[in-house]
Amino acid sequence: FCLLKLKEIKNGFELYENRWAPFASPEKKYQNIPQIDKIENIKEKNLLIWSEQGLGDNLLFSRFIENITKFTNKITLQVDGNLEIFKFLFPNINVFETHKINYKNFDYQVPICSLPYILGINNVKDLSLKKKT
């Protein structure tokens, strides 16, 4: 968080991935689905983006879903509660609760807070919300 505050965006998001270190956190959801290692690999693939942490974090990090649509439009967002908010914000993707996810339908998965890291976000200007025209 300190690096992000200092506008060292690339290093900040890289270190933010340490939240998954075995000593620091619970296991990731959907470990039976491969996680994205390179953004290019998801071209036209079925992608599951899953929520983590609270509603505020999920809303903030959901801004990067628009960037993911440049690689695939086969996106499902898993959220726990607040479905209507995300369905309103993203009418062109599937939004489901955890119990309705069939892991066999996906080629890749990624936690929502890992989107900036996977996308290679490294500039402050890339963090701003895009205005729809």
Side-chain angles (χ1 to χ4, degrees), residues 23-39:
F23 62 85
S25 71
E27 290 186 357
K28 292 182 183 180
K29 298 179 192 177
Y30 308 109
Q31 291 189 29
N32 48 351
I33 305 170
Q35 185 167 333
I36 301 171
D37 54 350
K38 294 180 183 172
I39 191 68

Side-chain angles (χ1 to χ4, degrees), residues 49-98:
I49 300 172
W50 50 272
S51 65
E52 55 176 310
Q53 303 180 33
L55 174 61
D57 290 313
N58 290 319
L59 284 170
L60 286 172
F61 281 88
S62 71
R63 74 178 73 187
F64 300 106
I65 292 174
E66 188 69 31
N67 300 67
I68 294 291
T69 62
K70 296 173 186 171
F71 297 91
T72 185
N73 61 358
K74 300 174 185 177
I75 298 171
T76 297
L77 175 63
Q78 172 273 310
V79 294
D80 291 317
N82 302 297
L83 258 64
E84 296 307 317
I85 293 170
F86 291 99
K87 285 181 178 181
F88 175 78
L89 291 172
F90 303 102
N92 296 327
I93 68 171
N94 299 310
V95 179
F96 291 106
E97 288 185 317
T98 302

Side-chain angles (χ1 to χ4, degrees), residues 1 3 10-26 28 35 52-53 111 113-114 117:
F1 290 122
L3 288 173
K10 183 177 180 182
N11 291 333
F13 281 128
E14 185 176 318
L15 287 175
Y16 189 57
E17 290 303 298
N18 287 338
R19 71 190 184 284
W20 299 113
F23 62 85
S25 71
K28 292 182 183 180
Q35 185 167 333
E52 55 176 310
Q53 303 180 33
C113 296
S114 291
Y117 174 71

Side-chain angles (χ1 to χ4, degrees), residues 40 46 54 57 64 89 95 97 105 114-115 118-119 121 131:
E40 301 82 26
N46 291 312
D57 290 313
F64 300 106
L89 291 172
V95 179
E97 288 185 317
N105 294 338
S114 291
L115 291 178
I118 294 299
L119 288 163
I121 301 293
K131 293 184 180 177

